[in-house]
Amino acid sequence: MSLSLFAALALSAAPAPSSQPFTIQDQVLMRRLSSPSVSPEGNRVAFVLRSTDLEANKGRTDLWLVNADGSGLRQLTFSPESEGQPVWSPDGQSLFFLSPRGGSSQVFRLPLDGGEAQAVTKLPLDVGAFALSRDGKTLAVALEVYPDCATLECTTQRLKEKSQKKSTGQVYDKLFVRHWDSWKDGRRSHLFVLPVDGSAAPRDVMVGMDADGPSKPFGGPEEFTFTPDGKGLVFTARDVGNSESWSTDQDLFLASVDKPSTPRKLTEKNRATDTQPVFSPDGKTLAYLAMARPGFEADRLRVVLRSWPEGKERVLAEQWDRSAGSLTWSPDGKSVLVTADDIGHHRAFSLDVASGQVTAFSGPGYAAEPQPVADGRIVFVRDDLKSPADLYSVKADGSDVRQLTRVNEAALARLRFGDYEQFEFPGWNGETVRGYVVKPVDFDPKKKYPVAFLIHGGPQGSFGNHFHYRWNPQTYAGRGYAAVMVDFHGSTGYGQAFTDSISGDWGGKPLEDLQKGLAAAVKRYGFLDGDKVCALGASYGGFMINWIAGQMPDRFRCLVNHDGNLDEKLAYFNTEELWFPEWEHGGTPWEKPEGYTKHNPIDHVAKWKTPMLVIHGGQDFRVVDTQGLSTFTVLQRRGIPSKLLYFPDENHWVVKPANSIHWHETVLDWLDQWTKGTAKKPAAGPTVAPSAKAVP
């Protein structure tokens, strides 16, 4: 199958007689493919497949296996518990994986020629992530421990004693006090090494480090790896003492596997982020990703090559203006495979080690986790705005694309989606800005459709060609809306200068892009009803909804604000990762108060008039729930039509299946009320529509 497959996937197919428009229930029930792992011989791919049980209100994951040519698909695990992180044994005869079978998350090994999975570890603490040495003899496991404990039993005993105390008070003497959605209790994620055969007890290789390895809250096995000889472990950690909550200085460390010693910092010179270490097949080069600017979490991630063990370093493809991720070596060590946001897509690229030449091979859509397989091909996970994730393979030059799996084939056969198109327009300062329009399901060019105007978070993010499970425009298309998304200044995938341009200007260039982008879309696409538009956003998008409420009070029929700040100054003192507001607003509030008041929604609430739905999670420690409650208070006190949807058990995201359905039903009902019902919008002000053109 050629690259024309990608174009074909974006086109409408004749609806099956029994098909129906895509709904949030369909979205929640979609099977989600992730974590591909290629066998040593390159002819098989293990992966994780999630399914959702609405009755139990949770998802579960199983391990599956498919041949590299797409044949022989079969399920490997069937236990009621979730299995994950498949890792091949060096001989390719078995798979290691994580599972909570028996009540605790441990490492198991499954023989592929028949037989039951057997526990490899039986530790008193849950294993959070693991890595296997190249010879298959040693494991590295991440465990939550008290750093001052000399044994695992010390941690378990301390936890037991704590649970028996009548007092629930916790004393803190430094930040973090809480992070993402968890309160700190003194434990750290430390890496331990132990033989696979269980002949020795696990040993903490991070003794003396008051740091997490892997990092929290999202770090995983990609942040640590064994050295080629198996005698060392290279890992990522932020060991910066009391400045942890305002420092982005993650470093690579080298710890001895054979004997206790203090880990050695490998990236001492760089005060910004260093992460994701991966050794070349011949073991002579360590590749990793690095940022250059301390304190900036959205700086460009460059690929750094470090000779091993000498330590001489060079940046690969320094002139390539994209931020790399998902680092993997080719079998011959002549190239590295990465992914990056790129002009409204998330593509996979090959970087030539000798020349730095960059080759894109995945085509449009969203590509993830590329890995080499047999016959010089590359396997990767791919989705787009009309297709959930499946495995694909492709030649290294981007030709001969083949779809290997169709894990949602039955569900997709009965569903109808809206077509989509990328467009561009002159935004702030006349610079080119891009966006997407998703047509309603069963689109009729003779009709006018209300618009869901979706604003992405980050703010350094992108609403691109991606099948998202929280903000999927197809849920609006299935309800009869056209969706419009604009990648305003600050978005990723358009060069680092474009990304940088939002810092210190949250309400300036992005707002202008959003205004011009919506006007351009309405002018170009005659089916968009510019009089019936609701704007929706989360996180930074939620901040922007509050900002829009004061800057464009006459433009929208309604607004939806999910986890958005009302007061940027107070938000600094409520949040946990302080490096973020300090970079974005130019310092602390007492050093640079103007950075927090320049574009502060709370200073413009007197102009608010647009009906707003406010949504917040009680476990959101990034944007705390009092920001949402304050927003709702303003709306109610000013007599503006408003509702509050509060999830006490959700964090910055809404992930529980029943809650996700509740979220979408409430949001869509709110949009229906103000665009399809009898409710009237405020009088509209004049708009100027720049020209827009479709992007091929």
Side-chain angles (χ1 to χ4, degrees), residues 222-223 236 250-252 267 270 272-278 286-292 299-306 313 315-316 320 322-328 336-339 351:
E222 74 284 353
E223 291 191 352
T236 305
Q250 289 187 328
D251 285 293
L252 298 184
T267 52
N270 187 24
T273 293
D274 303 285
T275 187
Q276 295 193 33
V278 185
L286 174 66
Y288 65 94
L289 302 179
M291 296 181 181
D299 195 16
R300 179 163 68 97
L301 281 166
R302 299 154 174 84
V303 178
V304 179
L305 302 181
R306 179 187 180 106
E313 293 188 340
V315 176
L316 181 61
W320 183 50
R322 294 292 182 268
S323 188
S326 192
L327 188 61
T328 309
V336 293
L337 310 179
V338 301
T339 60
L351 279 59

Side-chain angles (χ1 to χ4, degrees), residues 617-632:
Q619 299 303 306
D620 184 358
F621 304 150
R622 184 67 43 84
V623 177
V624 297
D625 58 359
T626 51
Q627 293 283 336
L629 293 170
S630 298
T631 300
F632 186 60

Side-chain angles (χ1 to χ4, degrees), residues 49 98 140 341 354 529 591 607 694:
L49 191 64
L98 278 184
D341 283 345
D529 189 339
E591 295 168 329
K607 294 177 284 185

Side-chain angles (χ1 to χ4, degrees), residues 96-98 105-109 118-121 127 130 139 141:
F96 292 77
F97 63 95
L98 278 184
S105 177
Q106 300 294 323
V107 180
F108 286 76
R109 178 165 50 191
Q118 300 295 321
V120 176
T121 61
V127 177
F130 76 96
L139 281 173
V141 296

Side-chain angles (χ1 to χ4, degrees), residues 35 157 193 227 558 584 615:
S35 306
Q157 180 60 31
V193 293
T227 57
C558 69
E584 292 302 306
I615 309 173

Side-chain angles (χ1 to χ4, degrees), residues 576-637:
E576 11 83 292
E577 293 182 352
L578 298 178
W579 64 75
F580 176 69
E582 288 182 14
W583 181 276
E584 292 302 306
H585 299 318
T588 64
W590 53 91
E591 295 168 329
K592 297 287 185 178
E594 65 276 11
Y596 293 81
T597 58
K598 180 181 179 181
H599 297 133
N600 200 6
I602 200 170
D603 294 330
H604 300 271
V605 296
K607 294 177 284 185
W608 286 17
K609 65 171 69 172
T610 312
M612 186 188 300
L613 169 64
V614 181
I615 309 173
H616 224 104
Q619 299 303 306
D620 184 358
F621 304 150
R622 184 67 43 84
V623 177
V624 297
D625 58 359
T626 51
Q627 293 283 336
L629 293 170
S630 298
T631 300
F632 186 60
T633 296
V634 170
L635 294 161
Q636 288 284 299
R637 187 63 181 85

Side-chain angles (χ1 to χ4, degrees), residues 487-507:
D487 267 358
F488 46 80
H489 275 77
S491 301
T492 52
Y494 306 91
Q496 192 60 43
F498 192 88
T499 300
D500 291 348
S501 65
I502 195 173
S503 297
D505 195 27
W506 274 27

Side-chain angles (χ1 to χ4, degrees), residues 149-205:
C149 275
T151 64
L152 299 183
E153 288 70 26
C154 167
T155 291
T156 58
Q157 180 60 31
R158 192 175 296 182
L159 289 171
K160 181 180 179 181
E161 293 171 354
K162 184 177 180 179
S163 68
Q164 295 173 343
K165 286 184 177 181
K166 293 183 178 180
S167 169
T168 58
Q170 177 78 33
V171 177
Y172 297 92
D173 59 8
K174 67 174 185 177
L175 299 173
F176 292 110
V177 171
R178 58 187 188 177
H179 196 188
W180 186 247
D181 59 5
S182 300
W183 288 85
K184 295 294 186 178
D185 65 359
R187 285 180 291 171
R188 290 287 197 176
S189 176
H190 272 203
L191 293 167
F192 289 73
V193 293
L194 69 160
V196 170
D197 63 12
S199 59
R203 182 173 63 81
D204 187 352
V205 300

